[in-house]
Amino acid sequence: MKKLSEIPAPSAASVAAVDVTAVSRLDLATPRTPVSLPHQAPDAETLVPELLKSYPPQVLRKRRRHIRVNDPDTIPEIEANVRTVPGIITQRGCCYAGCKGVVLGPVTDIVHIVHGPVGCSYYAWMTRRNQADVPEGAQNFLNYAFTTDMTEHEIIFGGEQKLAQAIREAYDLFHPKAIAVFSTCPVGLIGDDVHAVATQMRKELGINVFGFSCEGYKGVSQSAGHHIANNGLFKHVVGTEELPAELRENPFRVNLLGEYNIGGDAFELERVFARCGIELVATFSGNAQYSELAHAQDANLNLIMCHRSINYMAEMMETKYGIPWVKVNFIGAESTAKSLRKIARYFDDPALTARIEAVIAEEMAAVEPIRSSIRPRVAGRPVMLWVGGSRAHHYQSLFGDLEMPVVAAGYEFAHRDDYEGSTVLGSITIDADSRNIEELDVAPDPEAYRPRKSVTDVAELALNGLKVGEYEGMMPEMAKGAMVVDDISHVELERLIEAYHPALVCSGIKDKYVIEKMGVPCKQLHNYDYGGPYAGFRGAINFYKEIDRMVNAKVWNLIAPPWAATSGSATSAH
Ligand code: SF4
């Protein structure tokens, strides 16, 4: 049960000690200086041909456009969000995984019915370790997997009746507030109309039932599913309920977008926000309940964590309700402090600013001794990050706290702006795969539109170092000469490990064990393996300890990869 009211505020002495004027002069706009590459790091330019040498010429030309050597002063253009070359082993997931598995799945009290074969349902069932801490008496369906279990019969004769029956059955058993239906590949191929079934069942049952056309093959990756999920939530959920009166009292009301409570990250952020006196209206969608999303239109600021999966929601809420958004990063202690200061600067309230600074001071006092004891054991050890559409960027900051250089990084499903920053948005070519995803026609709501900041306010905030509605990509915060690879393939990853000998690779389950067989520890950042939380101040402490344990474990020197006996190509990280 959430007990945020029991979380202590900072002490009065800490609040009184804050010099608010000095805080207002802190620089929040400049990207963090990256940790320089180790002197012995190989020259990335000469490595590029090595990475690509096994490909036929046409594939080589395509993959070359996804590989760049970073220069934070002149950000190079990189190709992203295009189809993976068939035959290449990619880390990407499908559109349905992005819609159900990432964005909607963590909402605790919606019954999520997967319309498709049982395998698709299993694929998105609890695999991201989204956690929940629901109030007493509230519903929580996170542990369930609901599926229509489509078989040959439905593929031939259609599955709409079976879907309607599944919705009725779920309603009779659980009486949820809402039911969401997710389409998988076969549904799109045979043409079941999940939206018609949802409309029919909404009338029949009197609850919110809504469908998603998120067939796995749509788009080029899970990124398409994120967009479809944003559209569906915006159309069917946001704005359908009123904010409870007790939540209206606090003007510092925010939504946190793109935080999925993996390993308990959202719990830590709820704790920090409660300490700061910030009212968290809704998290999209970690540890979230349906009603929180339904009255999210009454927040006064949207904070975007994972930009790639949820920027559409922020943009649409700004247009319809007048809520501005600010990009934040709560991964890493220093990034958490900076993000909290962004909130303070946005609301521009001296009492809030003093309270936030007091929280930062108290929390950093707990972080610092641990960070300083671990840093000498890990500083300078090279790291690679191959994950997500924002995560590889966010985790650079955590490694920056420990002075560990990120020698190579990339995303699975990012778009160019996630690498280069929002300034390139106007120059991104929209191809047929992106056009396939519906763009909602959103206009200011005649009653609910209430611009929280005027154009002048936003310009003043920019002059004062707070960029509203803008974000830096990953590359401005990466070292000069670091390797950037979009949608990395397994062969490219293996060659990079052989060249850089990283002390640690952060990646996903598809490559984790290949990496570990090469004698390199791999931290999964999709679901944190069995660890977490890693967000916020306490999360940073957890991560520092875990990194220390992983990179300094002697066991990695003892591993001989299974292929070493035959090929003689054993690779050791140390
Ligand atoms: S690609 Fe299609 S069949 Fe595979 S999990 Fe995704 S929706 Fe299911």
Side-chain angles (χ1 to χ4, degrees), residues 322-355:
I323 309 173
W325 60 267
V326 167
K327 167 81 179 140
V328 289
N329 175 17
F330 288 108
I331 299 295
E334 290 187 10
S335 288
T336 299
K338 185 173 176 177
S339 297
L340 290 173
R341 288 182 172 128
K342 286 183 176 181
I343 300 170
R345 196 158 296 179
Y346 172 86
F347 284 114
D348 192 23
D349 178 273
L352 178 72
T353 304
R355 184 164 168 177

PDB file of all heavy atoms in Angstrom, residues 322-355:
ATOM      1  N   GLY A 322      -2.852  22.253 -22.556  1.00  0.00           N
ATOM      2  CA  GLY A 322      -1.965  23.371 -22.204  1.00  0.00           C
ATOM      3  C   GLY A 322      -0.924  23.025 -21.162  1.00  0.00           C
ATOM      4  O   GLY A 322      -0.434  23.922 -20.462  1.00  0.00           O
ATOM      5  N   ILE A 323      -0.573  21.730 -21.032  1.00  0.00           N
ATOM      6  CA  ILE A 323       0.447  21.330 -20.041  1.00  0.00           C
ATOM      7  C   ILE A 323       1.818  21.276 -20.726  1.00  0.00           C
ATOM      8  O   ILE A 323       2.038  20.443 -21.602  1.00  0.00           O
ATOM      9  CB  ILE A 323       0.144  19.933 -19.453  1.00  0.00           C
ATOM     10  CG1 ILE A 323      -1.298  19.855 -18.966  1.00  0.00           C
ATOM     11  CG2 ILE A 323       1.124  19.601 -18.341  1.00  0.00           C
ATOM     12  CD1 ILE A 323      -1.721  18.457 -18.534  1.00  0.00           C
ATOM     13  N   PRO A 324       2.761  22.116 -20.319  1.00  0.00           N
ATOM     14  CA  PRO A 324       4.105  22.031 -20.917  1.00  0.00           C
ATOM     15  C   PRO A 324       4.842  20.781 -20.441  1.00  0.00           C
ATOM     16  O   PRO A 324       4.448  20.171 -19.442  1.00  0.00           O
ATOM     17  CB  PRO A 324       4.817  23.287 -20.380  1.00  0.00           C
ATOM     18  CG  PRO A 324       3.740  24.132 -19.781  1.00  0.00           C
ATOM     19  CD  PRO A 324       2.652  23.193 -19.352  1.00  0.00           C
ATOM     20  N   TRP A 325       5.901  20.422 -21.149  1.00  0.00           N
ATOM     21  CA  TRP A 325       6.703  19.278 -20.704  1.00  0.00           C
ATOM     22  C   TRP A 325       8.185  19.630 -20.672  1.00  0.00           C
ATOM     23  O   TRP A 325       8.664  20.483 -21.407  1.00  0.00           O
ATOM     24  CB  TRP A 325       6.464  18.040 -21.567  1.00  0.00           C
ATOM     25  CG  TRP A 325       6.781  18.164 -23.021  1.00  0.00           C
ATOM     26  CD1 TRP A 325       5.917  18.508 -24.016  1.00  0.00           C
ATOM     27  CD2 TRP A 325       8.041  17.919 -23.663  1.00  0.00           C
ATOM     28  NE1 TRP A 325       6.559  18.511 -25.228  1.00  0.00           N
ATOM     29  CE2 TRP A 325       7.868  18.151 -25.037  1.00  0.00           C
ATOM     30  CE3 TRP A 325       9.292  17.536 -23.205  1.00  0.00           C
ATOM     31  CZ2 TRP A 325       8.892  18.008 -25.964  1.00  0.00           C
ATOM     32  CZ3 TRP A 325      10.332  17.392 -24.117  1.00  0.00           C
ATOM     33  CH2 TRP A 325      10.118  17.625 -25.486  1.00  0.00           C
ATOM     34  N   VAL A 326       8.848  18.932 -19.768  1.00  0.00           N
ATOM     35  CA  VAL A 326      10.286  19.124 -19.585  1.00  0.00           C
ATOM     36  C   VAL A 326      10.927  17.741 -19.568  1.00  0.00           C
ATOM     37  O   VAL A 326      10.394  16.815 -18.962  1.00  0.00           O
ATOM     38  CB  VAL A 326      10.556  19.853 -18.245  1.00  0.00           C
ATOM     39  CG1 VAL A 326      12.028  19.784 -17.877  1.00  0.00           C
ATOM     40  CG2 VAL A 326      10.089  21.303 -18.308  1.00  0.00           C
ATOM     41  N   LYS A 327      12.049  17.611 -20.239  1.00  0.00           N
ATOM     42  CA  LYS A 327      12.778  16.326 -20.234  1.00  0.00           C
ATOM     43  C   LYS A 327      13.577  16.201 -18.938  1.00  0.00           C
ATOM     44  O   LYS A 327      14.249  17.157 -18.531  1.00  0.00           O
ATOM     45  CB  LYS A 327      13.699  16.305 -21.458  1.00  0.00           C
ATOM     46  CG  LYS A 327      14.733  15.213 -21.463  1.00  0.00           C
ATOM     47  CD  LYS A 327      14.187  13.897 -21.916  1.00  0.00           C
ATOM     48  CE  LYS A 327      15.300  12.846 -21.925  1.00  0.00           C
ATOM     49  NZ  LYS A 327      14.891  11.548 -21.450  1.00  0.00           N
ATOM     50  N   VAL A 328      13.468  15.053 -18.298  1.00  0.00           N
ATOM     51  CA  VAL A 328      14.207  14.811 -17.057  1.00  0.00           C
ATOM     52  C   VAL A 328      14.940  13.471 -17.165  1.00  0.00           C
ATOM     53  O   VAL A 328      14.666  12.671 -18.055  1.00  0.00           O
ATOM     54  CB  VAL A 328      13.262  14.750 -15.827  1.00  0.00           C
ATOM     55  CG1 VAL A 328      12.707  16.120 -15.506  1.00  0.00           C
ATOM     56  CG2 VAL A 328      12.147  13.726 -16.033  1.00  0.00           C
ATOM     57  N   ASN A 329      15.842  13.274 -16.240  1.00  0.00           N
ATOM     58  CA  ASN A 329      16.524  11.980 -16.140  1.00  0.00           C
ATOM     59  C   ASN A 329      16.769  11.694 -14.662  1.00  0.00           C
ATOM     60  O   ASN A 329      17.553  12.391 -14.017  1.00  0.00           O
ATOM     61  CB  ASN A 329      17.853  12.014 -16.901  1.00  0.00           C
ATOM     62  CG  ASN A 329      18.652  10.741 -16.718  1.00  0.00           C
ATOM     63  OD1 ASN A 329      18.100   9.721 -16.290  1.00  0.00           O
ATOM     64  ND2 ASN A 329      19.931  10.782 -17.019  1.00  0.00           N
ATOM     65  N   PHE A 330      16.087  10.700 -14.146  1.00  0.00           N
ATOM     66  CA  PHE A 330      16.252  10.357 -12.734  1.00  0.00           C
ATOM     67  C   PHE A 330      17.181   9.151 -12.551  1.00  0.00           C
ATOM     68  O   PHE A 330      17.115   8.468 -11.543  1.00  0.00           O
ATOM     69  CB  PHE A 330      14.891  10.097 -12.081  1.00  0.00           C
ATOM     70  CG  PHE A 330      14.085  11.361 -11.891  1.00  0.00           C
ATOM     71  CD1 PHE A 330      12.976  11.612 -12.671  1.00  0.00           C
ATOM     72  CD2 PHE A 330      14.469  12.295 -10.949  1.00  0.00           C
ATOM     73  CE1 PHE A 330      12.239  12.787 -12.509  1.00  0.00           C
ATOM     74  CE2 PHE A 330      13.749  13.472 -10.773  1.00  0.00           C
ATOM     75  CZ  PHE A 330      12.641  13.715 -11.554  1.00  0.00           C
ATOM     76  N   ILE A 331      18.007   8.877 -13.557  1.00  0.00           N
ATOM     77  CA  ILE A 331      18.985   7.796 -13.422  1.00  0.00           C
ATOM     78  C   ILE A 331      20.336   8.440 -13.113  1.00  0.00           C
ATOM     79  O   ILE A 331      20.885   9.179 -13.927  1.00  0.00           O
ATOM     80  CB  ILE A 331      19.066   6.971 -14.722  1.00  0.00           C
ATOM     81  CG1 ILE A 331      17.711   6.323 -15.038  1.00  0.00           C
ATOM     82  CG2 ILE A 331      20.159   5.912 -14.623  1.00  0.00           C
ATOM     83  CD1 ILE A 331      17.232   5.296 -14.058  1.00  0.00           C
ATOM     84  N   GLY A 332      20.862   8.142 -11.932  1.00  0.00           N
ATOM     85  CA  GLY A 332      22.108   8.778 -11.484  1.00  0.00           C
ATOM     86  C   GLY A 332      21.778   9.843 -10.450  1.00  0.00           C
ATOM     87  O   GLY A 332      20.795  10.573 -10.593  1.00  0.00           O
ATOM     88  N   ALA A 333      22.623   9.937  -9.414  1.00  0.00           N
ATOM     89  CA  ALA A 333      22.326  10.887  -8.339  1.00  0.00           C
ATOM     90  C   ALA A 333      22.407  12.324  -8.838  1.00  0.00           C
ATOM     91  O   ALA A 333      21.550  13.158  -8.516  1.00  0.00           O
ATOM     92  CB  ALA A 333      23.307  10.665  -7.188  1.00  0.00           C
ATOM     93  N   GLU A 334      23.421  12.616  -9.639  1.00  0.00           N
ATOM     94  CA  GLU A 334      23.561  13.998 -10.105  1.00  0.00           C
ATOM     95  C   GLU A 334      22.466  14.370 -11.081  1.00  0.00           C
ATOM     96  O   GLU A 334      21.956  15.488 -11.067  1.00  0.00           O
ATOM     97  CB  GLU A 334      24.946  14.199 -10.716  1.00  0.00           C
ATOM     98  CG  GLU A 334      26.007  14.167  -9.638  1.00  0.00           C
ATOM     99  CD  GLU A 334      27.396  14.534 -10.127  1.00  0.00           C
ATOM    100  OE1 GLU A 334      27.537  15.010 -11.266  1.00  0.00           O
ATOM    101  OE2 GLU A 334      28.333  14.330  -9.343  1.00  0.00           O
ATOM    102  N   SER A 335      22.064  13.428 -11.920  1.00  0.00           N
ATOM    103  CA  SER A 335      20.962  13.705 -12.842  1.00  0.00           C
ATOM    104  C   SER A 335      19.653  13.876 -12.085  1.00  0.00           C
ATOM    105  O   SER A 335      18.802  14.684 -12.466  1.00  0.00           O
ATOM    106  CB  SER A 335      20.805  12.568 -13.846  1.00  0.00           C
ATOM    107  OG  SER A 335      21.860  12.607 -14.741  1.00  0.00           O
ATOM    108  N   THR A 336      19.479  13.108 -11.021  1.00  0.00           N
ATOM    109  CA  THR A 336      18.257  13.244 -10.228  1.00  0.00           C
ATOM    110  C   THR A 336      18.205  14.640  -9.612  1.00  0.00           C
ATOM    111  O   THR A 336      17.168  15.314  -9.659  1.00  0.00           O
ATOM    112  CB  THR A 336      18.211  12.165  -9.123  1.00  0.00           C
ATOM    113  OG1 THR A 336      18.222  10.889  -9.754  1.00  0.00           O
ATOM    114  CG2 THR A 336      16.974  12.289  -8.257  1.00  0.00           C
ATOM    115  N   ALA A 337      19.331  15.088  -9.060  1.00  0.00           N
ATOM    116  CA  ALA A 337      19.373  16.427  -8.476  1.00  0.00           C
ATOM    117  C   ALA A 337      19.062  17.480  -9.538  1.00  0.00           C
ATOM    118  O   ALA A 337      18.268  18.402  -9.313  1.00  0.00           O
ATOM    119  CB  ALA A 337      20.748  16.671  -7.862  1.00  0.00           C
ATOM    120  N   LYS A 338      19.644  17.322 -10.724  1.00  0.00           N
ATOM    121  CA  LYS A 338      19.418  18.304 -11.787  1.00  0.00           C
ATOM    122  C   LYS A 338      17.945  18.309 -12.221  1.00  0.00           C
ATOM    123  O   LYS A 338      17.349  19.371 -12.443  1.00  0.00           O
ATOM    124  CB  LYS A 338      20.318  17.967 -12.985  1.00  0.00           C
ATOM    125  CG  LYS A 338      20.272  18.982 -14.113  1.00  0.00           C
ATOM    126  CD  LYS A 338      21.327  18.646 -15.154  1.00  0.00           C
ATOM    127  CE  LYS A 338      21.257  19.577 -16.335  1.00  0.00           C
ATOM    128  NZ  LYS A 338      22.313  19.303 -17.320  1.00  0.00           N
ATOM    129  N   SER A 339      17.352  17.130 -12.297  1.00  0.00           N
ATOM    130  CA  SER A 339      15.949  17.051 -12.725  1.00  0.00           C
ATOM    131  C   SER A 339      15.026  17.677 -11.688  1.00  0.00           C
ATOM    132  O   SER A 339      14.049  18.353 -12.035  1.00  0.00           O
ATOM    133  CB  SER A 339      15.563  15.586 -12.977  1.00  0.00           C
ATOM    134  OG  SER A 339      16.344  15.075 -14.040  1.00  0.00           O
ATOM    135  N   LEU A 340      15.325  17.473 -10.420  1.00  0.00           N
ATOM    136  CA  LEU A 340      14.508  18.107  -9.378  1.00  0.00           C
ATOM    137  C   LEU A 340      14.641  19.624  -9.457  1.00  0.00           C
ATOM    138  O   LEU A 340      13.668  20.365  -9.266  1.00  0.00           O
ATOM    139  CB  LEU A 340      14.934  17.606  -7.993  1.00  0.00           C
ATOM    140  CG  LEU A 340      14.599  16.147  -7.675  1.00  0.00           C
ATOM    141  CD1 LEU A 340      15.219  15.728  -6.346  1.00  0.00           C
ATOM    142  CD2 LEU A 340      13.086  15.909  -7.637  1.00  0.00           C
ATOM    143  N   ARG A 341      15.846  20.090  -9.755  1.00  0.00           N
ATOM    144  CA  ARG A 341      16.042  21.552  -9.889  1.00  0.00           C
ATOM    145  C   ARG A 341      15.270  22.103 -11.091  1.00  0.00           C
ATOM    146  O   ARG A 341      14.819  23.239 -11.071  1.00  0.00           O
ATOM    147  CB  ARG A 341      17.538  21.858 -10.021  1.00  0.00           C
ATOM    148  CG  ARG A 341      18.267  21.647  -8.718  1.00  0.00           C
ATOM    149  CD  ARG A 341      19.741  21.983  -8.784  1.00  0.00           C
ATOM    150  NE  ARG A 341      20.286  21.915  -7.430  1.00  0.00           N
ATOM    151  CZ  ARG A 341      21.364  21.211  -7.076  1.00  0.00           C
ATOM    152  NH1 ARG A 341      22.039  20.535  -7.983  1.00  0.00           N
ATOM    153  NH2 ARG A 341      21.767  21.198  -5.821  1.00  0.00           N
ATOM    154  N   LYS A 342      15.133  21.291 -12.125  1.00  0.00           N
ATOM    155  CA  LYS A 342      14.316  21.742 -13.266  1.00  0.00           C
ATOM    156  C   LYS A 342      12.869  21.958 -12.831  1.00  0.00           C
ATOM    157  O   LYS A 342      12.217  22.913 -13.247  1.00  0.00           O
ATOM    158  CB  LYS A 342      14.352  20.692 -14.395  1.00  0.00           C
ATOM    159  CG  LYS A 342      15.659  20.646 -15.159  1.00  0.00           C
ATOM    160  CD  LYS A 342      15.548  19.628 -16.297  1.00  0.00           C
ATOM    161  CE  LYS A 342      16.787  19.598 -17.154  1.00  0.00           C
ATOM    162  NZ  LYS A 342      16.662  18.632 -18.269  1.00  0.00           N
ATOM    163  N   ILE A 343      12.366  21.040 -11.998  1.00  0.00           N
ATOM    164  CA  ILE A 343      10.978  21.183 -11.517  1.00  0.00           C
ATOM    165  C   ILE A 343      10.865  22.465 -10.684  1.00  0.00           C
ATOM    166  O   ILE A 343       9.913  23.251 -10.832  1.00  0.00           O
ATOM    167  CB  ILE A 343      10.569  19.949 -10.670  1.00  0.00           C
ATOM    168  CG1 ILE A 343      10.662  18.682 -11.514  1.00  0.00           C
ATOM    169  CG2 ILE A 343       9.166  20.112 -10.114  1.00  0.00           C
ATOM    170  CD1 ILE A 343      10.506  17.383 -10.721  1.00  0.00           C
ATOM    171  N   ALA A 344      11.848  22.687  -9.821  1.00  0.00           N
ATOM    172  CA  ALA A 344      11.818  23.893  -8.983  1.00  0.00           C
ATOM    173  C   ALA A 344      11.830  25.140  -9.846  1.00  0.00           C
ATOM    174  O   ALA A 344      11.068  26.086  -9.615  1.00  0.00           O
ATOM    175  CB  ALA A 344      13.019  23.878  -8.043  1.00  0.00           C
ATOM    176  N   ARG A 345      12.671  25.131 -10.871  1.00  0.00           N
ATOM    177  CA  ARG A 345      12.764  26.332 -11.708  1.00  0.00           C
ATOM    178  C   ARG A 345      11.472  26.555 -12.497  1.00  0.00           C
ATOM    179  O   ARG A 345      11.033  27.684 -12.694  1.00  0.00           O
ATOM    180  CB  ARG A 345      13.967  26.239 -12.647  1.00  0.00           C
ATOM    181  CG  ARG A 345      14.320  27.584 -13.223  1.00  0.00           C
ATOM    182  CD  ARG A 345      15.734  27.673 -13.709  1.00  0.00           C
ATOM    183  NE  ARG A 345      16.715  27.532 -12.640  1.00  0.00           N
ATOM    184  CZ  ARG A 345      18.038  27.566 -12.840  1.00  0.00           C
ATOM    185  NH1 ARG A 345      18.513  27.757 -14.046  1.00  0.00           N
ATOM    186  NH2 ARG A 345      18.886  27.417 -11.836  1.00  0.00           N
ATOM    187  N   TYR A 346      10.866  25.489 -12.915  1.00  0.00           N
ATOM    188  CA  TYR A 346       9.615  25.618 -13.666  1.00  0.00           C
ATOM    189  C   TYR A 346       8.526  26.260 -12.797  1.00  0.00           C
ATOM    190  O   TYR A 346       7.840  27.183 -13.229  1.00  0.00           O
ATOM    191  CB  TYR A 346       9.160  24.233 -14.149  1.00  0.00           C
ATOM    192  CG  TYR A 346       7.789  24.232 -14.779  1.00  0.00           C
ATOM    193  CD1 TYR A 346       7.626  24.518 -16.133  1.00  0.00           C
ATOM    194  CD2 TYR A 346       6.654  23.958 -14.022  1.00  0.00           C
ATOM    195  CE1 TYR A 346       6.365  24.533 -16.709  1.00  0.00           C
ATOM    196  CE2 TYR A 346       5.393  23.970 -14.596  1.00  0.00           C
ATOM    197  CZ  TYR A 346       5.255  24.253 -15.938  1.00  0.00           C
ATOM    198  OH  TYR A 346       4.003  24.279 -16.506  1.00  0.00           O
ATOM    199  N   PHE A 347       8.380  25.787 -11.558  1.00  0.00           N
ATOM    200  CA  PHE A 347       7.303  26.319 -10.713  1.00  0.00           C
ATOM    201  C   PHE A 347       7.690  27.660 -10.080  1.00  0.00           C
ATOM    202  O   PHE A 347       6.817  28.415  -9.661  1.00  0.00           O
ATOM    203  CB  PHE A 347       6.918  25.294  -9.631  1.00  0.00           C
ATOM    204  CG  PHE A 347       6.094  24.157 -10.173  1.00  0.00           C
ATOM    205  CD1 PHE A 347       6.593  22.857 -10.204  1.00  0.00           C
ATOM    206  CD2 PHE A 347       4.815  24.389 -10.668  1.00  0.00           C
ATOM    207  CE1 PHE A 347       5.833  21.810 -10.700  1.00  0.00           C
ATOM    208  CE2 PHE A 347       4.041  23.340 -11.170  1.00  0.00           C
ATOM    209  CZ  PHE A 347       4.560  22.054 -11.187  1.00  0.00           C
ATOM    210  N   ASP A 348       9.004  27.921  -9.989  1.00  0.00           N
ATOM    211  CA  ASP A 348       9.497  29.227  -9.564  1.00  0.00           C
ATOM    212  C   ASP A 348       8.854  29.678  -8.246  1.00  0.00           C
ATOM    213  O   ASP A 348       8.296  30.773  -8.148  1.00  0.00           O
ATOM    214  CB  ASP A 348       9.224  30.262 -10.678  1.00  0.00           C
ATOM    215  CG  ASP A 348       9.965  31.566 -10.415  1.00  0.00           C
ATOM    216  OD1 ASP A 348      10.973  31.523  -9.690  1.00  0.00           O
ATOM    217  OD2 ASP A 348       9.514  32.620 -10.908  1.00  0.00           O
ATOM    218  N   ASP A 349       8.930  28.804  -7.257  1.00  0.00           N
ATOM    219  CA  ASP A 349       8.356  29.115  -5.946  1.00  0.00           C
ATOM    220  C   ASP A 349       9.489  28.968  -4.911  1.00  0.00           C
ATOM    221  O   ASP A 349      10.053  27.875  -4.772  1.00  0.00           O
ATOM    222  CB  ASP A 349       7.224  28.125  -5.646  1.00  0.00           C
ATOM    223  CG  ASP A 349       6.620  28.368  -4.279  1.00  0.00           C
ATOM    224  OD1 ASP A 349       7.146  27.803  -3.299  1.00  0.00           O
ATOM    225  OD2 ASP A 349       5.646  29.144  -4.209  1.00  0.00           O
ATOM    226  N   PRO A 350       9.836  30.047  -4.192  1.00  0.00           N
ATOM    227  CA  PRO A 350      10.989  29.983  -3.287  1.00  0.00           C
ATOM    228  C   PRO A 350      10.865  28.873  -2.239  1.00  0.00           C
ATOM    229  O   PRO A 350      11.862  28.200  -1.932  1.00  0.00           O
ATOM    230  CB  PRO A 350      11.000  31.365  -2.627  1.00  0.00           C
ATOM    231  CG  PRO A 350      10.269  32.254  -3.578  1.00  0.00           C
ATOM    232  CD  PRO A 350       9.260  31.398  -4.260  1.00  0.00           C
ATOM    233  N   ALA A 351       9.665  28.663  -1.711  1.00  0.00           N
ATOM    234  CA  ALA A 351       9.510  27.637  -0.669  1.00  0.00           C
ATOM    235  C   ALA A 351       9.741  26.244  -1.259  1.00  0.00           C
ATOM    236  O   ALA A 351      10.410  25.393  -0.648  1.00  0.00           O
ATOM    237  CB  ALA A 351       8.121  27.736  -0.047  1.00  0.00           C
ATOM    238  N   LEU A 352       9.204  26.023  -2.457  1.00  0.00           N
ATOM    239  CA  LEU A 352       9.413  24.720  -3.108  1.00  0.00           C
ATOM    240  C   LEU A 352      10.898  24.526  -3.422  1.00  0.00           C
ATOM    241  O   LEU A 352      11.465  23.449  -3.190  1.00  0.00           O
ATOM    242  CB  LEU A 352       8.575  24.623  -4.386  1.00  0.00           C
ATOM    243  CG  LEU A 352       8.771  23.324  -5.166  1.00  0.00           C
ATOM    244  CD1 LEU A 352       8.117  22.144  -4.448  1.00  0.00           C
ATOM    245  CD2 LEU A 352       8.223  23.418  -6.589  1.00  0.00           C
ATOM    246  N   THR A 353      11.515  25.587  -3.951  1.00  0.00           N
ATOM    247  CA  THR A 353      12.938  25.499  -4.297  1.00  0.00           C
ATOM    248  C   THR A 353      13.768  25.152  -3.063  1.00  0.00           C
ATOM    249  O   THR A 353      14.645  24.268  -3.107  1.00  0.00           O
ATOM    250  CB  THR A 353      13.420  26.831  -4.908  1.00  0.00           C
ATOM    251  OG1 THR A 353      12.602  27.122  -6.026  1.00  0.00           O
ATOM    252  CG2 THR A 353      14.874  26.759  -5.334  1.00  0.00           C
ATOM    253  N   ALA A 354      13.476  25.822  -1.947  1.00  0.00           N
ATOM    254  CA  ALA A 354      14.250  25.563  -0.720  1.00  0.00           C
ATOM    255  C   ALA A 354      14.043  24.126  -0.254  1.00  0.00           C
ATOM    256  O   ALA A 354      14.986  23.442   0.160  1.00  0.00           O
ATOM    257  CB  ALA A 354      13.817  26.547   0.364  1.00  0.00           C
ATOM    258  N   ARG A 355      12.803  23.655  -0.353  1.00  0.00           N
ATOM    259  CA  ARG A 355      12.530  22.286   0.106  1.00  0.00           C
ATOM    260  C   ARG A 355      13.235  21.263  -0.782  1.00  0.00           C
ATOM    261  O   ARG A 355      13.826  20.294  -0.295  1.00  0.00           O
ATOM    262  CB  ARG A 355      11.008  22.063   0.122  1.00  0.00           C
ATOM    263  CG  ARG A 355      10.620  20.724   0.665  1.00  0.00           C
ATOM    264  CD  ARG A 355       9.156  20.673   1.032  1.00  0.00           C
ATOM    265  NE  ARG A 355       8.750  19.296   1.297  1.00  0.00           N
ATOM    266  CZ  ARG A 355       7.552  18.938   1.691  1.00  0.00           C
ATOM    267  NH1 ARG A 355       6.621  19.847   1.877  1.00  0.00           N
ATOM    268  NH2 ARG A 355       7.254  17.660   1.895  1.00  0.00           N
TER     269      ARG A 355
END
